[in-house]
Amino acid sequence: MKVAFTTSDGTHINTHFGVAKEIDVYEVTKDGFEFVETLVFEGDLEEAAHEDKITPKMEAIADCKILYVKAIGKPAGNKLIKQGMTIVRAQEYDTVPDILHVLVKSLNGDAPPMLRKALLQ
């Protein structure tokens, strides 16, 4: 399954979805994980009234099952959930590598309740 992370440094989930200039995507299996790509978004992503900034991001991560964010606006979050994506608001201490290891463990049968639905799809 593919998992996306809003990150500015490849390690910390430290970016709001709407203003994220980069989203890292990984493929996670029972055997491990592999970096797929960094999606890069240009333009004035800080401009709150510019709703068109969300659509390209949603399309770019459409094949991901889980999205980890620092934060996400309700409209974008609701749209992604309707598409079947699980959204997780990361804690300040969470890191991409730590989460990837937890996901591999989860795929091998030790899933926390909130991830079970995403893993069963």
Side-chain angles (χ1 to χ4, degrees):
M1 80 175 159
K2 284 188 179 178
V3 180
F5 299 89
T6 59
T7 178
S8 65
D9 63 7
T11 300
H12 301 94
I13 301 98
N14 57 1
T15 314
H16 185 287
F17 181 74
V19 298
K21 292 186 183 268
E22 296 181 352
I23 297 176
D24 284 356
V25 178
Y26 286 81
E27 182 71 39
V28 180
T29 67
K30 288 183 176 186
D31 298 321
F33 55 86
E34 184 176 332
F35 175 76
V36 175
E37 65 183 320
T38 297
L39 303 168
V40 179
F41 302 93
E42 304 290 333
D44 184 6
L45 301 176
E46 298 287 337
E47 180 59 47
H50 184 57
E51 281 302 316
D52 196 41
K53 67 184 178 184
I54 299 298
T55 301
K57 291 178 184 181
M58 291 178 56
E59 291 171 355
I61 63 168
D63 61 343
C64 294
K65 285 194 171 199
I66 304 173
L67 169 65
Y68 283 85
V69 297
K70 176 180 179 182
I72 188 168
K74 194 171 185 176
N78 287 341
K79 288 178 185 177
L80 290 169
I81 290 168
K82 282 182 182 177
Q83 292 177 357
M85 190 170 301
T86 297
I87 299 171
V88 180
R89 286 181 182 85
Q91 300 299 313
E92 197 171 309
Y93 53 81
D94 287 332
T95 66
V96 172
D98 289 345
I99 290 171
L100 289 167
H101 287 292
V102 167
L103 290 172
V104 170
K105 194 174 178 183
S106 296
L107 285 172
N108 284 292
D110 192 19
M114 94 176 183
L115 290 179
R116 284 188 190 132
K117 180 182 173 190
L119 300 175
L120 294 172
Q121 293 177 348

